[in-house]
Amino acid sequence: MDLPERGALDLLPVIGPDRTETLRDGLRAAAKSLSGRTVWQINTTATGGGVAELSFSLLPYARGVGIDARWLVLAGDSRFVDVGKRLCLLLYGHEVAEPDEAGYAHYAEVCDEAAAHLAARLRPGDVVVLHDPQTAGMAPVLRRAGARVVWRCHIGSDLPTAAETWERLHPWLRAAELLVFSTRRHIPGPLRDSPVRVIPPSIDPLSPKNRDMDAAQATQLLGKVGLSVGISPLVAQISRWDVLKDMPGVMTAFRTALHASDAHLVLAGPDVTAIADDPGGAAVLRDCHARWLGLPRSERDRIHLISVPMSDPAENAAIVSALQRNATVVVQKSLAEGFGLTVTEAMWKARPVLASAVGGIADQIDDEHEGLLVTDPHDHAAVGRQLSRLLADPALAARLGTAARRRVHGDFLPDRHLLQWARAVRDLID
Ligand code: UDP
């Protein structure tokens, strides 16, 4: 994967001189510790979703300070992708069938083969960061090849579920020397005694998705996906078409609030054909579409389903940005979430966010101060009520949006994130 380079100084206008200097020092120290070693990141998709987004955000800063950071995508066949998706859903606490023995055996085979391939390119002491359960199976072979292996888990459940899945993954995870989670509440019981760190993600304020955009450009981008800026107020959820994002539930909740305002709803997600590791996306989009077709015309006119083109990543990011910026309220009604980048992206744009208090989202938003949280994501009426409240009270929406941006500035920009990684890597190898 071709990656650009970025320096701590690029962030100076956003984070100021003190934070920039701390970041520069931290990155330089990590580069010194790492000298001669490569840091490999492995996940299962180059586009779409938070893990790809994070790699695009963070790796350029590491490369900018001279760290040889590289990103590889493990592209398995459809059977492997299916097992990977199941593992993710299970670890999120979603009820789906556990992979069968043959599925696990296939998973192990693909991971072993990919790991052997990488091992041939490794130098002893290289650091390999394996993302999520799909790549966890690579750990033992890489460890035997002399790599320092970190497992980065972006997902999890607030309840102690998936004991069987964690047990199945355990022999692979034992080979990793460090496990990293986005939120403490997702560290499962059996791994509490392993070396674990909590490192919440961040967003890059300089990326095409998060940097400022003028109104004319936003209008033009919205036009590309068939929306006019005249459509206002606008409620939007922008997510992958994943069952756990509950796009149909957003539609249901929005309908309970229809009478209270003349708002429109946008459900937007990436073109489902473009995401390598998300096989269920097409079915979710079809389900949304079928429900939409069943609505009365007056409601259909106020609900817009949008597939955001993925062929040009910069344009995709800019369209997502334009949608987030133009939303009166951004919703993230996830049923489970490791850390919702979409939430932080919207908060950075000073949008009032209405989200479920699940997983990392509960850490991202201070309820009633930086956004609104709904405790039970299945409670559509409660989501509808909070939506009506936000739409009826622009002063509240503005106050939440201002506090939201301040929170992201303090806690969820790349300097904090990179420094935590720099410290973790140094502690691992020094
Ligand atoms: N996203 C995107 N295009 C889309 C929809 C979403 O680029 O059409 C991005 C979104 O802006 C965010 C990421 O995908 O950066 C989703 O990350 P998040 O942590 O919210 O959820 P995940 O998809 O990782 O479960």
Side-chain angles (χ1 to χ4, degrees):
M1 193 83 53
D2 284 340
L3 289 164
E5 290 182 8
R6 212 164 247 172
L9 269 180
D10 294 332
L11 284 170
L12 178 66
V14 184
I15 61 175
D18 293 350
R19 281 170 63 173
T20 301
E21 200 174 314
T22 309
L23 175 60
R24 208 179 40 196
D25 292 349
L27 285 175
R28 281 185 182 157
K32 196 161 163 233
S33 297
L34 280 163
S35 78
R37 305 175 196 237
T38 298
V39 178
W40 304 84
Q41 300 268 336
I42 323 281
N43 77 323
T44 47
T45 183
T47 53
V51 182
E53 181 78 17
L54 283 168
S55 300
F56 277 118
S57 301
L58 290 190
L59 296 186
Y61 289 98
R63 292 178 65 81
V65 74
I67 295 171
D68 182 18
R70 304 188 202 180
W71 175 13
L72 300 178
V73 172
L74 165 54
D77 56 14
S78 60
R79 197 157 153 228
F80 174 80
V81 170
D82 176 69
V83 172
K85 184 72 193 178
R86 263 171 216 284
L87 293 175
C88 288
L89 289 172
L90 286 160
L91 295 189
Y92 268 128
H94 190 65
E95 282 188 24
V96 64
E98 191 83 24
D100 58 16
E101 288 307 320
Y104 270 117
H106 184 65
Y107 165 84
E109 213 176 285
V110 172
C111 285
D112 280 352
E113 197 181 312
H117 232 84
L118 176 56
R121 297 170 66 186
L122 285 179
R123 281 164 303 180
D126 278 3
V127 176
V128 183
V129 182
L130 301 171
H131 291 267
D132 282 337
Q134 295 98 320
T135 63
M138 294 173 69
V141 170
L142 293 170
R143 189 70 193 286
R144 283 198 294 278
R148 313 301 304 266
V149 180
V150 180
W151 186 57
R152 173 60 170 106
C153 183
H154 297 268
I155 66 188
S157 166
D158 296 347
L159 300 170
T161 51
E164 190 184 338
T165 316
W166 282 114
E167 207 161 296
R168 290 303 300 245
L169 291 173
H170 205 244
W172 290 302
L173 296 180
R174 251 198 338 248
E177 291 169 273
L178 173 66
L179 311 175
V180 177
F181 287 81
S182 295
T183 172
R184 190 157 295 286
R185 63 175 72 87
H186 284 174
I187 305 169
L191 295 180
R192 293 243 163 82
D193 295 333
S194 310
V196 174
R197 280 185 196 227
V198 174
I199 304 184
S202 62
I203 58 159
D204 185 359
L206 308 179
S207 73
K209 188 169 291 167
N210 297 313
R211 65 182 173 229
D212 287 345
M213 175 181 281
D214 64 44
Q217 193 194 355
T219 305
Q220 186 241 339
L221 288 161
L222 293 181
K224 282 200 169 182
V225 290
L227 277 183
S228 120
V229 274
I231 293 183
S232 172
L234 193 67
V235 177
Q237 177 162 302
I238 303 135
S239 273
R240 284 180 304 109
W241 302 97
D242 183 302
V243 281
L244 294 176
K245 307 295 181 183
D246 198 19
M247 295 285 217
V250 181
M251 217 189 293
T252 307
F254 176 74
R255 293 182 64 217
T256 69
L258 267 174
H259 61 280
S261 84
D262 53 359
H264 286 241
L265 172 68
V266 164
L267 295 177
D271 170 5
V272 290
T273 58
I275 304 186
D277 64 350
D278 199 6
V284 173
L285 178 55
R286 268 198 310 276
D287 177 29
C288 288
H289 197 244
R291 287 170 194 248
W292 179 83
L293 278 175
L295 298 177
R297 173 75 201 263
S298 59
E299 295 189 17
R300 281 207 310 265
D301 287 348
R302 289 172 60 184
I303 299 179
H304 313 266
L305 303 182
I306 294 178
S307 261
V308 187
M310 296 289 286
S311 48
D312 176 352
E315 184 190 70
N316 175 277
I319 291 172
V320 170
S321 172
L323 286 167
Q324 289 170 333
R325 263 164 227 289
N326 277 273
T328 315
V329 177
V330 171
V331 177
Q332 193 59 55
K333 199 182 126 9
S334 301
L335 305 179
E337 198 70 73
F339 182 98
L341 284 178
T342 50
V343 168
T344 298
E345 288 161 4
M347 290 170 76
W348 179 242
K349 289 156 192 128
R351 298 294 84 209
V353 177
L354 167 58
S356 330
V358 293
I361 296 179
D363 304 333
Q364 292 172 253
I365 295 178
D366 182 6
D367 187 24
E368 295 286 337
H369 298 290
E370 298 159 354
L372 297 183
L373 293 177
V374 173
T375 314
D376 176 3
H378 297 281
D379 188 346
H380 297 123
V383 177
R385 274 196 303 279
Q386 293 291 44
L387 193 52
S388 302
R389 187 179 155 212
L390 274 174
L391 289 168
D393 190 346
L396 169 68
R399 182 165 53 72
L400 295 176
T402 304
R405 174 147 174 128
R406 201 179 313 125
R407 174 71 193 282
V408 178
H409 188 268
D411 289 350
F412 298 120
L413 294 184
D415 56 327
R416 186 271 308 152
H417 193 185
L418 285 159
L419 286 168
Q420 280 188 296
W421 267 110
R423 170 51 57 199
V425 168
R426 288 183 66 198
D427 288 350
L428 183 70
I429 62 180
D430 278 351

